[in-house]
Amino acid sequence: MHEGHLSDSMQTGLGVYYFLVALMNLGFAAYFHYHKNDRNQALIWSAVAALFAGHGLAYLAHRGWILPEGFKNSVNYVMGPTTYFVAAVAGLAAFLYWRRFFTEPVVAWTILQVGLLFSGWAMTDYTFQQIITKPDNVPIVMLIFSVGFFTWLPMRQAVINDDRLARGEPPMEKLEEEKVLVWPDLVYTELICMVICTVGLVIWAVALKAPLEQPASSSRIPNPSKAPWYFLGLQEMLVYFDPWMAGVVLPTFIIIGLIAIPYIDFNQKGNGYFTFTQRSFSVSTFLFGFVVLWVVLIVLGTFLRGPNWNFFGPFEPWDPHKSVPLNNVNLSDYFWLMGFGQAMEGMGWFWRELPGIVLILVYLLALPPLLAKTFMRSYFIKMGFIRFFILVTLIQFMMLLPIKMVLRWTINLKYIVFIPEAFFNI
Amino acid sequence: MALGDSIRNSQVWKSIFRHPAPRDRRNRIVVMLTNVFLHLHPVSVRKSGIALSYTWCMGGITFFLFLVETVTGVLLMFYYRPTLEHAYNDILSLRDVATLGILRELHRWGAHAMVISIWLHMYRVFLTGSYKPPREFNWGVGVILLVLTLLLSFTGYLLPWDQLAIWAITVGSNMARATPILGHEGPGAKFLQIGGVELIHSGSDARFLLLGGRFVGETALLRFYVLHCVAIPLAVGLLIAVHFWRVRKDGGISGAL
C-alpha cells in the first residue's frame, strides 16, 4: 500500500465501521421515536444514520473515497503544539462554563458523531492510519473515548444535581436510600461485569497481536524513541523542562499532590454525589490536571510527536529530516545581553542567573502570601497557614508547565535559570 | 429435581457451602458471611451506592484485571526466561509455537486496560468527592496503588526484549540519572564528594540502582523481571487488602450524607 490509495481490507473495515455507527444512530432515533415521542429528533438521527450508511456502502463497494489534500494540508497547517494545547484548554473552559448545554444528551451525541465521522475520514489518510493502527496505540483511542464519555457522564449528573440542590432538594444519589442485599444485587452486577470484560479482552486479544519488533539492539536507536504511552505526558514535559524537573521533581509533586488532596480540601460539601457548583474550584483544577495536562498531552505525545520529538500534524508524514529552528534564549540572555547590553563572559553563575533565581523565589515564596492577602483570602482564612501554603505550592508546581509553555511560545524562552555547571536548569 | 436436591443435600456440598442455596433473605445474608471471597462485601448496601452510573464499576474492573494479569502472568512465566540469550526467542516461540497463543495478548491488553480503568476509578472517586472524610487515608492508599500499577506496567514493558521494549525503558530510566542529589546528572550530585572523589557517578547513582548497570542490559532485565513478577505484585496485593478493608471500615461505598 502506498500513499493516496486505500487497501481493500481497510475499505471493508471502514464500511463495517460506518454501518456500526449508522446502527448506533438508528438506535438513538428509535429511542426518540418510541420513548420520547419526539418525531423531529427521530427524523434528524435517522438522516444521520443514512449519512453514515451511505459512507458504509461506498466503502464496502470499494469506491476509495479519501480526504482531499487541501483539507489535510489545512489541518496540518493549523495544528501545532500551541494551537493544540490552547484549543484543549479553551475546550475544557467552554465545557465547564456552558456545561448545561454541552451535557445535553443531544449535544453530547452530536459531538460524538462528529468525532466518529472525522475519525472515519481521517483513517483514509496513510500517515494517520500508520500511527493509529500501531497495536500499542489502540489503548489511546480507548482512552480518548472513555475519558470523553466519563467526563460527560459525571458532569451531566452534576448539572442535574446542582439544579436539585438549588431548589433545596437532595441530590439524586440520596433518593435511593433503601438498602438492598449484596446477594443478588451486587454480586450479579459484578459477575456480569466480569463476563463482559472477559469477552471483551478475549476478542481484543484474538483480533490484535501484541507487538514484537526486532530484537533489542543498543546500537540501533529508533527515532522517535518513545516511553510507554502512559508516560508520554511526562516525556512531552521534556520539551519544556530538563529531565530532573520533568522526570523526577514534577512527577513526585503529582504523587504527593494527589495524596494531599483530601487533607487540603476543606470543603465538606459534595461528599458522595456528583456536583459542580458546590466544588467548582477543586473539580476545575482536577479536570485541568487530569484531562488537559495528562490525557491531552499523552494524545499529543502519541499521535503528533514524530522523529526528534518534532511536532507533526495528524496527516503530515513523519519526516526524520524535518528541521525546526532552535532559537530559544535563556532569561539571562534577555536580561544581561538585551537589557543591559552587557556580555556575560566571565560573570560567575550566581550573578549571571540572579534575575532568574529572584524570579523563581518570588514565584514560590512571595506569591502565596500575596494570594492569601488578595484573591484567595477566604481560602487562607478557612484553611490556616500550613494547608494554604501546601495548596498554593502544589498548584504553583502544576502551573509551572503551562507557564513555561506560554513563555516558550511567546518569547522563545529556553531556561529561566540556567546553571549547567550544576545541572540546575529550570 | 431429585438429582439437584440430592447433590445439595449431600455431605460434600454441605461441607463446602454450609447452608442452603441463597434463595431466601436469610440465606442471602448467610452466604455473604460464610464465604471467604464474598465476605469482602458487606451484607447489604445502599441502592444508590451500587448504581452503575455512580461507581462505573471501575474499581472492580481494575481488581478483576489485576487477577487476569496474575493468572496470565504466572502462565507466561512457564515460557519465559529473563536472559539476553532466551528472552526474545521465548516470546517469539510463545507467539509462533505455543498453544493458547493469546496468553501474551491477554496479558498486554489487560495491562493497558488496567492502566485506563484505574485512572477512571480515581476520576470517579474524585468527582464524587469520595476522598473526603472519613476516606482520606484510603485515597492515599489508592494513589500508591496507582503508582505501583504504572510501575508494574513499566517493568513489564522491558521483558519482551525487543526494540520497542529496550528503548522505551531507556527513555524512561534515563530520567533517574537526573534525580536531584542521587543522579549523576542531577542537580546537587556534585556536592557529594569526599576529598575530590565524587560519590555519585554513573556507576553509583539512582539509575545504576534501577538498572544494575550503566545501560539497559542483562542485569536490568533481571531486575525488572523480579520487580515485575514478585516484588511489586506482592506490594500491590498487600495494599489491595488494605484498600478493600478500609472501604468497608470507612463506611462502604460512599454516598450522599
Side-chain angles (χ1 to χ4, degrees), chain A residues 136 180 213 258 265 269 272, chain B residues 45 88 108 128 131-132 139:
Chain A
D136 264 0
V180 292
E213 296 185 354
L258 285 173
D265 185 355
K269 288 181 188 160
Chain B
V45 285
Y88 183 77
R108 192 177 188 101
T128 53
Y131 58 83
K132 298 189 178 201
W139 167 268

Side-chain angles (χ1 to χ4, degrees), chain A residues 183-201:
Chain A
W183 189 297
D185 279 59
L186 180 54
V187 285
Y188 273 67
T189 311
E190 289 174 347
L191 180 71
I192 294 166
C193 195
M194 278 198 278
V195 171
I196 293 173
C197 286
T198 310
V199 171
L201 201 56

